[in-house]
Amino acid sequence: MDSFKARLRKAVHRARIALRKSAVDYFRGDGSDTLALSGLLLTVPALTWGTIEIPEWISPAALVLPIVAGALLLRPASLLGLYAACAAGLIVETFVLGPYTDGPARVTPGTVLVVAAAGFFGLLIAQFRARVGVPWRRGGTMLFDLRERIRVQSALPRLPKGWHREMALRPAGGQSFSGDFVVAARTNGGRTLEIVLTDVSGKGMDAASRALLLSGAFGGLLGSLPPHSFLHAANGYLLRQDWDEGFATSIHLVLDLESGDYELLSAGHLPALQLSAGTGRWEEMTGEGPLLGVYDGAQFDPVKGSLRPGDVLMLFTDGLVESPGRDLSEGMDRLTGEADRYVTAGFEGAAWHLIEAVAKDVNDDRALLILCREP
């Protein structure tokens, strides 16, 4: 008896594992689509019968429904079998209901055209999914996961008491992916804060795939190399990709969180803006260096500065201050003018509001990072 129970438990366990594996494979798009194909094939005679018996409720064009579902669920080869069944259903309906000239609720040329068009576009969708290798059941989840990974990777590390940081990023066209990204890390035992803000050529989804690749590579380089070697390594990485549109601008901040002293290294990026609490004026801070991915052996000369209590430093991308018909200096003046409103009350939550005030309707990626040393 015990032996029988043990064998039964093992059999049940194996069945559960097999069922779970098949379900996971199907969810990922790796499993068989036989079950989905069988279910959709059964709907074809059901719809055909409904069209013949209750034409006032089910029209001949209802065969579009399994075709649309098949485009999302089936592989191209299986989809062709479903199309054959739908074509047979239309033929049966035509013979039973009679010529379309005899009255309404018949299979008309327009009905055939609609079903054929749905089948054509469904086959295109199925072939695209098969070529990309991302099933519809997993595609949305994968994109959501990528967006969340970018968001987490772009999060700024927690800073010690006396420091405050703000960051906001707005992709072009209200999309979820951007050609602007940030990587940051605390190095040197937590004493040094390194931040790299990068603007990849292009905007929105066109630049998002390259930005995703670069953000992972830059995140791995940051903290693994001496600060002055980072942009050299990043430039070499872009050159090795050999992209048609492979350049990027970048600005690298290396800040000592104890003294407030910092260095800025720039690769063709816009200058940073520093507010001096003593004078109440904004000053441009920029290093010298060419775009990333243009030529080998580039030199990046840093500029040094210091953040004293009450000082503010802003890093941003060109989408925030550049627009057609507006000079760059005008855009930067507008940004600093809006930022002056937060000097007294503090910059908590200011990054997002500054983008809304300065570049709300600009069709470009916009990123703004604010770093404050509290009084």
Side-chain angles (χ1 to χ4, degrees):
M1 182 65 69
D2 292 338
S3 178
F4 174 75
K5 289 182 177 179
R7 289 197 301 270
L8 181 61
R9 283 197 298 268
K10 290 181 180 179
V12 172
H13 177 71
R14 286 194 296 268
R16 289 176 57 190
I17 294 299
L19 181 61
R20 184 182 303 172
K21 184 178 183 301
S22 63
V24 171
D25 288 344
Y26 183 73
F27 178 76
R28 291 176 175 173
D30 301 328
S32 172
D33 60 356
T34 303
L35 182 62
L37 176 60
S38 301
L40 291 174
L41 287 175
L42 290 175
T43 64
V44 174
L47 291 173
T48 302
W49 176 87
T51 300
I52 296 172
E53 296 297 327
I54 44 174
E56 64 274 13
W57 287 98
I58 302 178
S59 72
L63 287 173
V64 167
L65 298 177
I67 288 177
V68 172
L72 299 175
L73 293 170
L74 303 179
R75 295 183 175 89
S78 302
L79 195 59
L80 292 176
L82 178 65
Y83 288 177
C86 291
L90 281 176
I91 293 173
V92 170
E93 291 174 356
T94 301
F95 277 105
V96 174
L97 295 176
Y100 65 89
T101 54
D102 291 350
R106 302 295 197 274
V107 178
T108 65
T111 302
V112 176
L113 182 62
V114 169
V115 174
F120 173 74
F121 287 111
L123 187 59
L124 290 181
I125 294 172
Q127 289 179 335
F128 175 78
R129 287 191 293 105
R131 184 172 65 252
V132 174
V134 179
W136 79 275
R137 301 179 300 276
R138 186 61 176 167
T141 304
M142 186 191 71
L143 290 175
F144 176 78
D145 182 58
L146 286 176
R147 187 188 69 180
E148 290 303 299
R149 288 180 184 273
I150 294 174
R151 184 186 62 82
V152 171
Q153 186 168 284
S154 298
L156 301 178
R158 187 181 300 274
L159 300 184
K161 186 177 181 180
W163 293 93
H164 177 71
R165 79 280 192 276
E166 290 280 335
M167 180 192 163
L169 192 150
R170 287 284 296 272
Q175 302 176 25
S176 298
F177 296 91
S178 172
D180 298 345
F181 67 88
V182 171
V183 291
R186 290 182 62 177
T187 59
N188 193 22
R191 173 173 177 170
T192 303
L193 173 67
E194 293 191 52
I195 299 176
V196 177
L197 175 60
T198 302
D199 183 357
V200 179
S201 57
K203 60 185 178 181
M205 293 297 293
D206 295 333
S209 58
R210 284 175 284 132
L212 177 61
L213 179 62
L214 291 181
S215 64
F218 286 12
L221 292 174
L222 191 66
S224 302
L225 297 171
H228 286 195
S229 301
F230 174 83
L231 289 181
H232 292 280
N235 183 58
Y237 181 82
L238 259 75
L239 288 172
R240 290 192 297 273
Q241 306 311 306
D242 196 24
W243 289 328
D244 292 335
E245 190 180 3
F247 66 89
T249 69
S250 192
I251 188 167
H252 182 195
L253 170 67
V254 185
L255 171 66
D256 188 319
L257 293 171
E258 294 185 4
S259 66
D261 296 334
Y262 67 84
E263 285 188 343
L264 275 175
L265 298 98
S266 176
H269 202 83
L270 295 176
L273 291 172
Q274 179 177 348
L275 172 67
S276 173
T279 63
R281 300 185 60 175
W282 292 90
E283 179 183 1
E284 294 185 7
M285 305 292 293
T286 184
E288 296 293 333
L291 299 170
L292 295 177
V294 176
Y295 63 88
D296 199 6
Q299 296 296 318
F300 305 96
D301 300 322
V303 61
K304 296 184 178 181
S306 181
L307 288 176
R308 294 172 292 275
D311 286 2
V312 180
L313 186 68
M314 292 196 301
L315 310 179
F316 47 89
T317 56
D318 57 4
L320 192 63
V321 292
E322 287 185 349
S323 63
R326 185 176 72 179
D327 188 67
L328 176 62
S329 60
E330 180 184 348
M332 296 181 71
D333 289 342
R334 184 178 179 185
L335 174 60
T336 55
E338 291 291 338
D340 283 336
R341 300 182 180 184
Y342 295 91
V343 173
T344 303
F347 281 83
E348 185 172 355
W352 184 265
H353 294 291
L354 283 174
I355 291 180
E356 287 286 302
V358 175
K360 180 179 180 180
D361 299 320
V362 175
N363 188 28
D364 198 358
D365 300 323
R366 292 142 291 166
L368 174 62
L369 188 148
I370 301 174
L371 191 62
C372 311
R373 190 170 188 183
E374 298 174 355

